[in-house]
Amino acid sequence: YLPTLHALYPSAKWTFSYRNAEETLSKSMQRKRNVTCTKAKRNPSMALSEKSAENNLDLEHLSHHEVCALHLSTLLEAAMREHDISGTGLLVSYDDIVSSSGDVIIEEVLPYLGLQEELNSNPQVKDKIVEILSTRSNARGVGREKQWDATQEKTIEISDEVRNAVKVFMGDLMGESIKYEV
């Protein structure tokens, strides 16, 4: 959809955050998240249909891990292609966001999106952003204010199936995406 959005709003700024492919695929395989990959196999996007056809792949004969890796690869490819073609967009590594304690958002992403004036006009805005970024997005209910601490993050188990699917369908992309890191 990025080319369509660019055609409608040629000067619009956008960002795409990407994460380690094996971690992303492993998390996508979790019961509550695997719906996206199931939908992709049942009702593939145009990009997924085209990529599977180009590579002589029948989605029905691929494992769930492989379909999901192929689907995720089309999302990253679309963002990289739109960035290269239109010169718009900012691709940001999730690891950079986490390791910088939000500095990447404040110093790179928000200024890119044209929000530098808002950041400069009120020093409390930066504090609020840091507070928001330190809150777990998956916290539930009343305790939603729970502060996020990377040391408390569960280790993501990466199966051999995930490693193989990433290697086959996303290996080259992850190396390419490094050039986009801020």
Side-chain angles (χ1 to χ4, degrees):
Y1 303 109
L2 286 173
T4 302
L5 288 172
H6 179 73
L8 293 170
Y9 308 101
S11 61
K13 307 272 184 152
W14 56 273
T15 65
F16 182 89
S17 177
Y18 62 91
R19 189 174 186 165
N20 172 287
E22 290 178 347
E23 290 177 7
T24 302
L25 185 55
S26 291
K27 288 181 90 62
S28 295
M29 293 291 99
Q30 294 173 354
R31 177 178 293 246
K32 61 186 173 189
R33 295 183 179 177
N34 71 7
V35 171
T36 302
C37 296
T38 302
K39 284 181 184 177
K41 185 173 189 174
R42 196 176 35 223
N43 187 19
S45 66
M46 188 180 339
L48 182 56
S49 294
E50 288 173 0
K51 187 167 184 176
S52 58
E54 286 171 11
N55 292 289
N56 276 338
L57 299 170
D58 182 352
L59 295 178
E60 293 302 317
H61 292 103
L62 295 178
S63 72
H64 190 66
H65 294 86
E66 292 170 328
V67 171
C68 198
L70 191 61
H71 168 68
L72 293 172
S73 75
T74 64
L75 300 176
L76 181 55
E77 285 174 342
M80 293 168 63
R81 184 173 42 254
E82 182 61 27
H83 177 274
D84 289 344
I85 291 170
S86 69
T88 64
L90 179 65
L91 281 72
V92 183
S93 163
Y94 174 82
D95 291 336
D96 287 350
I97 295 169
V98 171
S99 68
S100 74
S101 301
D103 287 345
V104 167
I105 298 292
I106 293 168
E107 295 171 8
E108 301 284 338
V109 175
L110 295 176
Y112 168 77
L113 294 172
L115 298 170
Q116 187 66 51
E117 188 175 314
E118 286 82 352
L119 290 171
N120 294 340
S121 69
N122 184 348
Q124 294 172 334
V125 170
K126 288 181 185 177
D127 294 337
K128 185 66 176 171
I129 291 168
V130 169
E131 178 186 335
I132 291 167
L133 290 173
S134 68
T135 303
R136 289 184 57 126
S137 64
N138 62 351
R140 302 277 187 252
V142 176
R144 190 160 176 97
E145 302 82 33
K146 184 176 179 183
Q147 296 297 303
W148 182 77
D149 179 0
T151 62
Q152 295 174 356
E153 185 81 5
K154 291 181 184 174
T155 302
I156 299 170
E157 293 184 30
I158 300 171
S159 68
D160 289 339
E161 291 90 354
V162 166
R163 279 187 186 20
N164 291 334
V166 165
K167 184 177 179 182
V168 170
F169 296 107
M170 299 184 76
D172 294 340
L173 281 177
M174 293 316 294
E176 288 178 40
S177 64
I178 300 302
K179 71 179 180 179
Y180 294 103
E181 288 187 343
V182 293

